Amino acid sequence: MTAVLYRLVYMSRNDITDEIDTQIDGILKTSRENNRLAEVTGALMFNTGCFAQVLEGPHNAIQATFERIQCDERHSDVTVLLFEPSNKRSFSSWAMAYVGAQESALERFGNLGDESGFEFTALDGDDIYNVLLDNLHDAEAQ
Amino acid sequence: MIDSVPQLEALATGIAIINGDNVIVHANTAFARRLNVDALPYRLTDIDLPEARSRDLLEWQLRDIGESALTVAIAPGRSLTFYIGAQREGQRLIIAASGWPHRDESTRDLAAQLDPLTGFGNRLMYAERLREFEAMGTKAAAVLIIDLDHFKQVNDTLGHGTGDELLGLVAQRIRASTRGNDTLIRLGGDEFVVLIPEEKHCEGLEALAGRLVNLLGRPFLVNGHQINIGASIGVATLVGDSDQLQDLLRHADLALYEAKHRGRAGHYVFQSPLEQRAFDRREFEVDLRRALGLRQFTLHYQPQTSIADRRVTGFEALIRWEHPTRGRVSPLDFIPLAEEIGEIAAIGRWVIRCACEEAMAWQDERLSVAVNVSPAQFADDTIVDAVRDALDHSGLAPARLELEITEGLFLEESESIMRRLWAIKELGVAVAIDDFGTGYASLGYLNSFPFSKIKIDKSFIQAEPSPRAKALISGILAMGSNLGMATTAEGIETLEQYTQLEHDGCSLAQGYYIARPMPAGQIADFLERFCPPTARAS
Ligand SMILES: Cc1cc2nc3c(=O)[nH]c(=O)nc-3n(C[C@H](O)[C@H](O)[C@H](O)COP(=O)(O)O)c2cc1C
């Protein structure tokens, strides 16, 4: 019997002010490693204002990952939008994308999606993801 | 890499060196094999022990930087003893051996001091740590007491199992924010304590408390549920006096109570009564400095009546401070402070100006308005300017304004004060003596200035009627009439007092018996309905 899959969707405020490139890079690297070991998949979207993350995996793996993320000082005001069992994974691996319109940031992060294998098609058709994208656009810091 | 110092490799005893973070930096083969350590660096507390409790015990034992030993079970019927050397320059020796000749007593003690749910210590451990601190003569320590908000609801709605798991996660978050040498305690229920064994600046403690409040306020995921709780934290510190160690927890508890009182999800640092008083005073001072700007002052007016003519002659303006959280603050409390911090000049200027403006609205142009002036306002010439400005600005006839000063002004003979009084007199404004008979000034001053009135202090009026008290009052009244000054009796509360004063020839009356102070808006109505006291009585 395979463990029940859970899906978590949360948003938080991006508190990174310095060296955002390296910080984001670091998050991507550790997440990729840790999540693979824990059988957690999902996606992290961000812009200069906020983070939005989807995590999929066994309950306790999600819990443990979330606890680690919660203690991270690089973000705050964490709001959970969804936490429930789900019957399939929307993301087959761990992906990350910059979601914003800021020109300067686009240049810096725009190619992250290609690098990490983020496919926006994974988000198609699910209301929660559309809400996420709307929120992300609203929260982009000037 | 596992080290290979040949002599050590030959030993059957497991030997390792760990650093300050409990990470194994060297280990011989016997150690690695016995504990299944395959590569370094490896955290000693991550080793695989069959009982989770053993790992907690080991972790606790390592928090103590002195020498100790710990025996734990590694398989049914088999135990392993760690000999833990004292820490030196961030490093310490660990020897792992089976069949250590004696099982250390302290191991059992320690087990009794642990909370199985969280791996934190319990009350016993707290007491034990305090004993150690006392024995060492610790001079600096701090306690944070953390109390979860809404935890009971979690237990009630999601069950104790979920509640317990949540407590485990809470403990983890607390552990993640604290440091290795902090002692973490679960006092029971949903109360946790962080005991910090060193001096930490208050800002550091507040930052920690703030971070914990923030962290514990973030959502938890337990058993498929999202749970939001929060935490309130009380902080207490000990600085320089180990006698007070026993009070730390109580102080933190008081601070916690205050934190909750101020609205949950916050922290509060305990302050000794002395500090508290200084703090309160400071807040009071800040509030007072803002009061004018925030328009928190108003004037109320108490009528003064002529006893012989049975009519209202004027009103005394009395300042009121209505503060949004303190409520009404008595002038007896704030005027002395205003004098001390130099706010009195600005407040006094406002009072004179407001009184003149409001008096302009009164129908009867004979009505006077009396304003209290503190001796502190006479310290410089600004009092004269304040009066002149108020008159100019409002257009009030100078003769309608009267300043009430107290005898205190004449404690020292001062030429500049007399000069200011005369300057005010020259503007056409009257000056009365207030609270007469309570100061210790020599009566000589009565001769040096043409005061308009003597206001007899209410303590004489309200004194038990005795022949001596009567003699005092009639003496003052006679003195007034001989000097050509009117006399006002203040604080009249009964008909008896009123009729007696009438009989003795007092000119003016003021007090609750005639009317209480009233807001400016009620004056017109009052004047319309006014009916003199003796007419009421008969
Ligand atoms: C918005 C955000 C999302 C993160 N997502 C993950 C994640 O999915 N997986 C992960 O392991 N770490 C994630 N991290 C990093 C963790 O907070 C933490 O730094 C990291 O797990 C520490 O890993 P380590 O102990 O292996 O160094 C995230 C951090 C941020 C700020």
Side-chain angles (χ1 to χ4, degrees), chain A residues 10 27 31 34-35 51 53 65 68-69 72 74-75 94:
Chain A
Y10 77 82
I27 293 176
S31 301
N34 292 337
N35 296 3
F51 289 109
Q53 190 166 22
T65 307
R68 243 181 310 122
I69 298 171
D72 200 313
R74 289 174 289 199
H75 66 164
W94 180 248

Side-chain angles (χ1 to χ4, degrees), chain A residues 4-75:
Chain A
V4 181
L5 274 183
Y6 270 80
R7 185 162 50 154
L8 166 72
V9 179
Y10 77 82
M11 303 204 42
S12 60
R13 194 176 72 208
N14 185 344
D15 287 341
I16 305 176
T17 47
D18 292 338
E19 302 184 341
I20 180 155
D21 310 47
T22 20
Q23 299 277 2
I24 294 281
D25 221 40
I27 293 176
L28 178 61
K29 281 210 183 73
T30 25
S31 301
R32 200 177 262 153
E33 268 171 44
N34 292 337
N35 296 3
R36 184 172 44 80
L37 287 174
E39 294 179 24
V40 169
T41 54
L44 177 67
M45 289 157 273
F46 73 97
N47 57 34
T48 45
C50 80
F51 289 109
Q53 190 166 22
V54 183
L55 291 170
E56 306 165 326
H59 182 281
N60 288 355
I62 300 281
Q63 182 184 71
T65 307
F66 187 61
E67 280 300 314
R68 243 181 310 122
I69 298 171
Q70 286 280 49
C71 294
D72 200 313
E73 307 218 24
R74 289 174 289 199
H75 66 164

Side-chain angles (χ1 to χ4, degrees), chain B residues 204-278:
Chain B
L205 287 171
E206 292 213 50
L208 175 59
R211 171 146 177 75
L212 282 168
V213 166
N214 179 302
L215 210 51
L216 298 176
R218 297 183 183 187
F220 290 88
L221 307 175
V222 189
N223 287 339
H225 303 285
Q226 173 192 341
I227 300 177
N228 284 77
I229 52 169
S232 303
I233 298 185
V235 183
T237 55
L238 167 87
V239 183
D241 189 0
S242 59
D243 285 357
Q244 286 170 8
L245 266 171
Q246 296 298 337
D247 294 330
L248 260 183
L249 199 56
R250 193 171 54 79
H251 288 169
D253 220 15
L254 286 171
L256 173 65
Y257 182 81
E258 185 62 30
K260 294 211 163 212
H261 181 70
R262 289 172 179 233
R264 286 157 193 259
H267 68 271
Y268 187 79
V269 181
F270 174 80
Q271 283 164 323
S272 72
L274 212 71
E275 287 169 301
Q276 187 68 49
R277 224 175 300 144

Side-chain angles (χ1 to χ4, degrees), chain B residues 304-384:
Chain B
Q304 300 175 324
T305 61
S306 156
I307 294 179
D309 300 348
R310 300 179 163 211
R311 68 172 189 90
V312 180
T313 57
F315 294 84
E316 177 180 357
L318 298 161
I319 190 165
R320 294 279 183 265
W321 180 15
E322 201 72 51
H323 186 269
T325 54
R326 297 176 188 277
R328 179 171 290 184
V329 186
S330 163
L332 293 176
D333 292 328
F334 71 82
I335 293 295
L337 181 62
E339 289 173 343
E340 202 181 317
I341 65 176
E343 274 295 295
I344 194 69
I347 295 175
R349 180 179 285 268
W350 175 84
V351 170
I352 298 174
R353 187 153 172 169
C354 179
C356 289
E357 274 168 18
E358 292 188 329
M360 281 301 284
W362 303 340
Q363 293 299 319
D364 186 343
E365 283 178 10
R366 287 173 303 168
L367 290 172
S368 64
V369 62
V371 172
N372 291 287
V373 178
S374 136
Q377 288 173 262
F378 270 89
D380 56 43
D381 289 329
T382 53
I383 180 69
V384 184

